[in-house]
């Protein structure tokens, strides 16, 4: 292709919106009772909590699948025992909580553990995403049956599976796979312009 044809094709497509992402999570879910407004800019949120290692990677995009830089992504979840930091006996503690600003490709990564189970809830994590000019996304993310089976082997049986959790949403399941004695999971989080 010569230079003139290449430049012409670039100009012709420059104003076209990008195709929507194939699989994004934009389903709002309840925040839950355990959110704390904290400024914990950190990648490793494990602190002293033991459990199945989990490497999380999120990509934040707009409705046309363009990556969003400088989106604030907050994550919080239960430990292996099903407890949250900052409440009751854990007041003042901050384990399994953290936030980051997305990079130029819309990405953030967290090192943590697979969330534990507690009464009436399957394994899940909470996410809040905010960016200037966009509606905030507050949601919960879930894991596959493969991860949940490994979780029950490691943490002990829980009383609730995905299908029995009143909040479980199949479209909010992260893409997960085994990784060095634990798991890695990723998801694309979509924000809608105001």
């Amino acid at each position: 292709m010569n230079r003139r044809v290449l430049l012409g094709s670039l100009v012709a497509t420059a104003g076209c919106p990008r195709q929507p992402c194939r699989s994004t999570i934009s389903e709002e879910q309840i925040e839950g009772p355990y959110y704390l407004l904290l400024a914990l800019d950190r990648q490793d949120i494990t602190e002293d909590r033991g459990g199945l290692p989990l490497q999380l990677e999120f990509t934040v995009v707009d409705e046309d699948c363009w990556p969003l830089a400088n989106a604030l992504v907050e994550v919080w979840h239960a430990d292996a025992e099903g407890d949250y930091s900052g409440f009751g006996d854990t007041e003042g503690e901050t384990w399994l909580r953290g936030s980051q600003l997305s990079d130029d490709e819309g990405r953030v990564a967290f090192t943590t553990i697979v969330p534990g189970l507690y009464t009436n809830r399957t394994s899940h994590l909470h996410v809040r995403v905010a960016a200037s000019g966009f509606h905030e996304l507050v949601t919960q993310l879930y894991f596959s049956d493969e991860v949940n089976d490994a979780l029950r082997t490691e943490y002990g049986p829980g009383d609730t599976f995905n299908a029995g959790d009143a909040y479980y949403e199949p479209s909010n399941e992260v893409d997960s796979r085994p990784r060095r004695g634990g798991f890695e999971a990723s998801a694309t989080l979509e924000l809608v312009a105001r």
Side-chain angles (χ1 to χ4, degrees), residues 6-84:
L6 175 61
L7 287 174
S9 68
L10 289 174
V11 170
T13 60
C16 297
R18 214 169 183 191
Q19 292 298 316
C21 295
R22 286 191 180 145
S23 179
T24 61
I25 294 174
S26 57
E27 173 93 18
E28 287 275 338
Q29 291 211 307
I30 66 164
E31 179 179 270
Y34 299 110
Y35 175 74
L36 292 174
L37 181 59
L38 300 170
L40 295 173
D41 181 11
R42 57 188 182 172
Q43 190 271 332
D44 188 338
I45 64 173
T46 311
E47 290 190 26
D48 64 345
R49 304 328 266 188
L52 276 174
L54 176 64
Q55 185 65 41
L56 288 171
E57 185 175 292
F58 299 127
T59 303
V60 182
V61 298
D62 66 13
E63 301 131 297
D64 293 319
C65 208
W66 290 105
L68 291 175
N70 296 315
L72 178 65
V73 180
E74 296 177 83
V75 174
W76 68 100
H77 65 82
D79 68 0
E81 305 295 318
D83 295 322
Y84 285 82

Side-chain angles (χ1 to χ4, degrees), residues 107-128:
R107 293 194 182 128
V108 297
F110 294 94
T111 299
T112 186
I113 62 168
V114 178
L117 306 160
Y118 54 95
T119 304
N120 297 323
R121 294 306 316 267
T122 190
S123 182
H124 66 283
L125 51 97
H126 301 265
V127 179
R128 176 187 293 272

Side-chain angles (χ1 to χ4, degrees), residues 1 5 12 16 22 34 39 46 53 61 71 87 95 103 106 114-115 125 128-129 174 183-184 189 192:
M1 181 180 285
V5 173
C16 297
R22 286 191 180 145
Y34 299 110
T46 311
V61 298
F87 291 86
W95 36 264
D103 65 16
V114 178
L125 51 97
R128 176 187 293 272
V129 187
V174 295
F183 290 90
E184 60 184 7
L189 306 171
V192 177

Side-chain angles (χ1 to χ4, degrees), residues 70-177:
N70 296 315
L72 178 65
V73 180
E74 296 177 83
V75 174
W76 68 100
H77 65 82
D79 68 0
E81 305 295 318
D83 295 322
Y84 285 82
S85 64
F87 291 86
D89 293 343
T90 67
E91 190 171 343
E93 297 181 40
T94 59
W95 36 264
L96 306 178
R97 297 177 182 276
S99 62
Q100 290 180 48
L101 289 176
S102 59
D103 65 16
D104 289 343
E105 295 176 354
R107 293 194 182 128
V108 297
F110 294 94
T111 299
T112 186
I113 62 168
V114 178
L117 306 160
Y118 54 95
T119 304
N120 297 323
R121 294 306 316 267
T122 190
S123 182
H124 66 283
L125 51 97
H126 301 265
V127 179
R128 176 187 293 272
V129 187
S132 180
F134 291 85
H135 293 283
E136 183 177 79
L137 172 65
V138 177
T139 194
Q140 296 181 38
L141 304 179
Y142 303 92
F143 297 89
S144 67
D145 289 333
E146 177 187 21
V147 175
N148 286 328
D149 287 344
L151 181 66
R152 283 172 173 79
T153 300
E154 182 78 16
Y155 294 174
D159 69 347
T160 306
F161 293 83
N162 284 350
D165 187 314
Y167 299 105
Y168 171 73
E169 176 57 51
S171 64
N172 277 27
E173 212 171 273
V174 295
D175 179 27
S176 56
R177 59 218 149 270

